[in-house]
Amino acid sequence: MGDLTDKELKNLKPKAKLYKVTDRDGMHAAVTPSGVISFRYQYRVNGRQEILTIGRYSAEAARTLTRAPDALEYGMDVSLAEARTLLTRARRQVERGESPSKAKVEKRTASAEAFTFGGWAEAYFKHKADPRSGAERLADSTLAMRRSVYDRAIAGNLSKLKLGEVTPQRLKRLCDEVKEKRGPAVAVHVREVVLLVFRHAQACGLDVSNPAESIRTSAIATFEPRERALSPSEVRAVLTALDHVAAAPTLRSAVKFVLLTGVRKSEFIDATWKEIDFAAARWTIPAERMKAGKMHVVPLSDQALDILTAFRTMFGVSRYLHPGRYDGDTPISNATLNRVIDAAVERIRKDDPDFESLGVHDLRRTFSTGLNRAKFDERWIEMSMAHAPRNRIAAVYNVNRYLAERKIMLQCWADMLDAWVKGESAKELIADAKQRAAEIHDDELDDDL
């Protein structure tokens, strides 16, 4: 094939494998399976065979005026004419016994070394946000949280420094200051962001030590697992974020269903349709599936029944309330709900980087704490939690006691969650529910007796 033309370049189509189209003077156009066209120059210098990537073909550059030779650099997006100008430069370097490919790398490295920490941080964030970065690309929520930590706690102290000036001692002092001012969680994230920015610089070929590797996370702060019960505002944040996470709608509803009912994760995961009584609005969990080894009845609120109706519509052919993604004969995995919650927390941290993690069991703790704060009868709450009574005689006779009261309480709990999501008070809902529970007549206690 003779000299290439712009028309021919525009008509080149990608194939399953990379292929080459010859131009002249050792240059060819390489077409990748993704459709990228780059100009490459193959040559020999000092007895070695080398290839220089001159630049990537740009149809837009071809439509504009050709830039001056001094404005062109290897690796730019270029037109065909500009690529040939750079080819001429490379051929002259080869004639002098110089390697244009090596010169390109040395110039890029020299330019990189001139970068400040702030420049490298921007390069890191740009790379992690670029769809072309493939598996290196970060989720928007994660990237936003790291960007927030950088802007608020790092940039003002380190952005103007050269990488070599960011020493372990300087970084540790910054982490200590941030811990004092903003808390240990933010200080730990400061170390992590610096660690990742330096790793990006190293991956780009820069020979520099990473100061964050000399500092252990435990030297900044340690975190003891703690009991987590969400406040009304945190409930609102989690339930609102759930609506926007990249998960199946039924999985988002499953998380809310656990919060509505206060059951253990295993009790929901292994639940089957034969345990659900839509007419009586009850879920009866058999003794063999309960931690205490006793049957447990869960009164179902309207909101819980709505979720079950959606599940039945989606998963009616499975015996499980929510089967696994690929096999209707198995329930969802033990980790699925926690992954959905983690995604919601990541989304919240875009606006609140200090929002603490939580798991499925924390929803059960939130259920208990929320009802206790509302001062519902402790006996109703303990029965709803399926906690075994301390008194063995009571344990025998009271397994399904307080069903009528618990039905009112759980409906109130569901309405409380809805109110919190709207940013409204639940005081009147609670007062009304307590009054109705106190007025239960004897003929409503048949199930209990």
Side-chain angles (χ1 to χ4, degrees):
M1 189 171 181
D3 292 356
L4 281 169
T5 65
D6 278 304
K7 182 178 180 180
E8 289 170 340
L9 285 167
K10 293 175 185 176
N11 290 330
L12 292 177
K13 304 298 182 185
K15 297 180 181 179
K17 294 183 178 180
L18 180 145
Y19 68 96
K20 305 174 184 177
V21 182
T22 303
D23 183 42
R24 68 185 187 200
D25 297 329
M27 187 172 80
H28 63 264
V31 185
T32 68
S34 63
V36 174
I37 302 172
S38 58
F39 298 108
R40 300 179 180 181
Y41 170 41
Q42 190 166 338
Y43 58 92
R44 293 186 70 86
V45 62
N46 299 325
R48 296 189 308 274
Q49 186 80 28
E50 294 183 358
I51 296 179
L52 168 70
T53 299
I54 292 176
R56 186 161 55 180
Y57 176 69
S58 167
E60 182 178 349
R63 289 192 295 269
T64 60
L65 293 174
T66 301
R67 288 166 286 193
D70 291 341
L72 301 177
E73 297 290 346
Y74 299 134
M76 296 174 62
D77 286 355
V78 293
S79 66
L80 175 59
E82 291 173 335
R84 287 173 177 160
T85 298
L86 287 169
L87 172 64
T88 300
R89 181 188 302 174
R91 286 171 58 82
R92 288 174 180 167
Q93 288 177 287
V94 172
E95 290 172 359
R96 296 194 297 267
E98 300 171 1
S99 167
S101 181
K102 184 177 179 181
K104 174 185 173 183
V105 172
E106 290 174 345
K107 183 169 184 178
R108 184 174 60 198
T109 301
S111 176
E113 288 174 343
F115 259 28
T116 60
F117 177 82
W120 274 110
E122 294 302 328
Y124 165 77
F125 289 125
K126 182 178 179 181
H127 174 67
K128 292 297 184 180
D130 191 343
R132 294 175 295 182
S133 296
E136 285 281 300
R137 187 185 184 190
L138 285 176
D140 291 343
S141 55
T142 301
L143 193 64
M145 184 193 71
R146 289 178 182 170
R147 164 63 83 172
S148 174
V149 170
Y150 173 76
D151 289 341
R152 294 184 303 117
I154 301 175
N157 294 275
L158 304 182
S159 64
K160 295 182 180 180
L161 300 178
K162 296 291 179 62
L163 291 187
E165 295 175 318
V166 183
T167 62
Q169 295 80 8
R170 189 189 292 266
L171 175 58
K172 181 60 167 61
R173 283 198 302 271
L174 174 60
C175 290
D176 290 342
E177 291 169 4
V178 171
K179 179 180 177 180
E180 180 69 25
K181 182 179 179 181
R182 302 181 183 275
V186 182
V188 169
H189 279 293
V190 165
R191 175 196 173 274
E192 182 182 18
V193 171
V194 172
L195 176 80
L196 295 171
V197 169
F198 269 85
R199 284 183 178 172
H200 178 68
Q202 290 169 333
C204 290
L206 198 64
D207 184 14
V208 62
S209 61
N210 192 330
E213 291 179 347
S214 300
I215 304 172
R216 302 181 72 138
T217 303
S218 58
I220 301 171
T222 56
F223 299 92
E224 295 294 333
R226 73 175 187 89
E227 294 188 348
R228 182 96 159 89
L230 303 179
S231 66
S233 62
E234 289 177 319
V235 167
R236 179 185 184 186
V238 170
L239 293 181
T240 301
L242 273 175
D243 289 336
H244 301 284
V245 300
T250 55
L251 288 175
R252 301 198 295 262
S253 295
V255 172
K256 185 173 182 180
F257 185 79
V258 172
L259 180 58
L260 285 167
T261 56
V263 297
R264 297 176 178 88
K265 180 168 62 173
S266 62
E267 293 162 4
F268 169 74
I269 287 177
D270 295 322
T272 60
W273 287 113
K274 68 180 181 181
E275 300 171 4
I276 304 297
D277 185 340
F278 278 99
R282 291 179 190 169
W283 171 18
T284 302
I285 308 175
E288 60 268 22
R289 292 212 306 108
M290 293 300 300
K291 183 177 180 180
K294 297 185 182 298
M295 180 185 73
H296 179 52
V297 177
V298 181
L300 296 169
S301 63
D302 290 342
Q303 290 88 331
L305 287 168
D306 288 343
I307 291 174
L308 289 177
T309 301
F311 286 173
R312 189 67 172 170
T313 303
M314 293 293 294
F315 310 122
V317 297
S318 173
R319 68 190 188 97
Y320 293 103
L321 301 193
H322 198 306
R325 181 178 180 183
Y326 300 108
D327 186 355
D329 293 329
T330 60
I332 56 175
S333 74
N334 197 47
T336 299
L337 296 185
N338 274 326
R339 284 199 294 266
V340 176
I341 292 173
D342 288 345
V345 170
E346 279 200 10
R347 186 172 184 87
I348 294 168
R349 284 175 174 167
K350 292 172 66 176
D351 299 315
D352 182 5
D354 299 333
F355 192 89
E356 293 187 42
S357 300
L358 65 140
V360 177
H361 193 73
D362 295 315
L363 301 181
R364 177 173 163 85
R365 192 174 291 112
T366 298
F367 173 90
S368 173
T369 302
L371 292 174
N372 275 291
R373 283 175 178 166
K375 294 183 171 59
F376 279 103
D377 192 305
E378 184 179 357
R379 294 169 297 176
W380 309 349
I381 300 171
E382 290 299 292
M383 283 293 175
S384 296
M385 299 290 290
H387 286 162
R390 294 185 180 89
N391 184 305
R392 290 192 175 187
I393 296 176
V396 172
Y397 290 103
N398 293 352
V399 170
N400 292 326
R401 285 294 304 274
Y402 310 117
L403 274 175
E405 294 93 337
R406 288 198 288 126
K407 180 173 178 59
I408 292 174
M409 182 179 72
L410 264 67
Q411 182 59 58
C412 179
W413 172 244
D415 294 337
M416 287 165 63
L417 297 178
D418 288 346
W420 291 343
V421 169
K422 296 175 185 175
E424 299 173 355
S425 170
K427 287 184 178 179
E428 292 185 10
L429 295 170
I430 296 168
D432 178 67
K434 288 179 180 177
Q435 182 176 345
R436 286 187 287 114
E439 295 172 353
I440 290 177
H441 298 292
D442 289 346
D443 59 0
E444 296 180 63
L445 300 177
D446 290 344
D447 289 325
D448 295 346
L449 301 176

